[in-house]
Amino acid sequence: MPVEFLGIAATNDGSETGPRSGAAFDKEYTLRLARAHEDHGWDRVLFAYGSGSPDPAPAAAYIAARLDRLRILLAHRPNVSYPTYAAKTFATLDQISDGRLTVHFITGGNDHEQRREGDTLTKDERYARTREYIRIVKKIWTTHEPFDHEGEHYRFHDFVSDVFPVQRPRPGVSFGGSSPAAYAAGGAEADIYCLWGEPLERTAEQIAAVKAAAAAAGRSDVPRIQVAFRPIIAPTEELAWEKAHRTVDAIRTRKERGEATTVRHHRRGTAEATSPQNTGSQRLISIAEAGERYDRALWTPTAAATGGAGNSNALVGTPETVAQALLDYYDLGVDILSARGYDLLGDAIDFGRHVIPIVREEVAKRDAERAARGPQTLAAVR
């Protein structure tokens, strides 16, 4: 099965290792970064969501209207808009992009971050709301007759949209999380299930949990699996590890100085900053406490330095080493590989030039060998 690569569509050049040089929404940089992904072999980019960050939907529309091939993964939190409104927004963006949109629905794992925009539901209530929200959006995308909805979180009557997606029957739905509630919701509703980079054994366990949740929901198919990393590459292993240690030192220095970072969901100066509420971050901290290096190239100090915030485990080594590490995950059943560096633009170019071609070539070889052994062999592996 062909592999896909997901990058980041940042609206400014700030990262955990350095402050941004301009405005929160830097039009020129946003376009430059997206074009670098399109020109260097990436398939799609994520427009992330933060409570105080630039709105990702118009930023994505800005890019979609200016680039021809790059696909868009748009992050969206159900608490910020009614599903009838959101479904029209997504359909319009799919029209603007000529069918290049996937929507990533975020339930929200941190109460403080959710409350910044008025969301006071508990975590379990948020998961129930997200499942209802996704089902409504899917129905709006595919229903041409007015309908009513009477649910736990949403009620409306006689609604029908006048704008529909280009994609048929609808755009893809992406979802992520590492708790049983997340597996249940994503297993039932997602086309793509997103995980943060963990050791191979733990990733295999999570994939099994997603598959089990899909089966429990009565699905005959399973979501595609995406895993996210922070690659740190250099021409030699020695240089890569020197770069890795410089990177984590920069993260720690900024944290010690109390400087703002791209990670905005932890409140500085409270226990919340070292005790994240979401299961995914808790897992990353636990893995980091158990060891610094796993498998072929996984390195945890970057995750430890951020308190397990977001996609933060690194893959360290030469392009060949990092490519082989990614192929290990592909062999587990992961076919969407998410990656972003700390120098967003430069790392996107380097990864596209030096890592993506190796992975694509090896995946093509693997798939050709499995196809030669017969379709049953390919189905058993994937």
Side-chain angles (χ1 to χ4, degrees), residues 47-177:
F47 282 85
Y49 190 93
S51 60
S53 301
D55 188 343
Y62 171 70
I63 293 303
R66 287 160 177 79
L67 300 181
D68 299 321
R69 300 182 306 279
L70 193 67
R71 285 176 276 163
I72 293 163
L73 178 60
L74 178 69
H76 181 77
R77 288 182 184 165
N79 61 290
V80 301
S81 68
Y82 216 71
T84 51
Y85 175 87
K88 294 184 295 180
T89 299
F90 303 147
T92 304
L93 183 52
D94 200 53
Q95 291 281 346
I96 292 171
S97 66
D98 295 320
R100 288 178 280 150
L101 176 69
T102 298
V103 182
H104 180 68
F105 290 92
I106 303 172
T107 298
N110 182 275
D111 291 345
H112 176 65
E113 170 68 4
Q114 294 301 122
R115 287 170 182 162
R116 282 171 166 164
E117 293 188 283
D119 186 7
T120 59
L121 297 185
T122 66
K123 188 174 181 181
D124 286 345
E125 290 171 336
R126 293 198 294 267
Y127 273 112
R129 178 183 61 192
T130 300
R131 292 182 72 165
E132 183 179 346
Y133 197 99
I134 292 173
R135 289 169 181 164
I136 292 169
V137 169
K138 287 179 178 178
K139 188 170 183 177
I140 292 171
W141 280 342
T142 57
T143 301
H144 292 257
E145 298 296 331
F147 69 95
D148 300 340
H149 179 82
E150 292 280 347
E152 180 182 359
H153 297 280
Y154 302 103
R155 296 179 182 179
F156 55 85
H157 304 282
D158 201 38
F159 181 82
V160 63
S161 178
D162 195 33
V163 57
F164 291 90
V166 170
Q167 297 176 76
R168 294 290 186 268
R170 57 173 176 77
V173 167
S174 171
F175 189 89

Side-chain angles (χ1 to χ4, degrees), residues 6-20:
L6 169 72
I8 191 70
T11 59
N12 59 71
D13 62 355
S15 80
E16 295 91 336
T17 59
R20 70 184 189 224

Side-chain angles (χ1 to χ4, degrees), residues 12-24 26 29 250-251 253-255 257-262 264 342-344:
N12 59 71
D13 62 355
S15 80
E16 295 91 336
T17 59
R20 70 184 189 224
S21 61
D26 181 334
Y29 183 84
I251 296 171
T253 297
R254 293 200 74 203
K255 186 175 181 179
R257 291 174 177 171
E259 296 178 3
T261 72
T262 57
R264 304 186 188 281
Y342 293 93
D343 170 9
L344 299 180

Side-chain angles (χ1 to χ4, degrees), residues 314-330:
L315 292 176
V316 182
T318 64
E320 293 77 14
T321 296
V322 170
Q324 291 302 319
L326 292 169
L327 287 162
D328 292 338
Y329 287 89
Y330 177 80

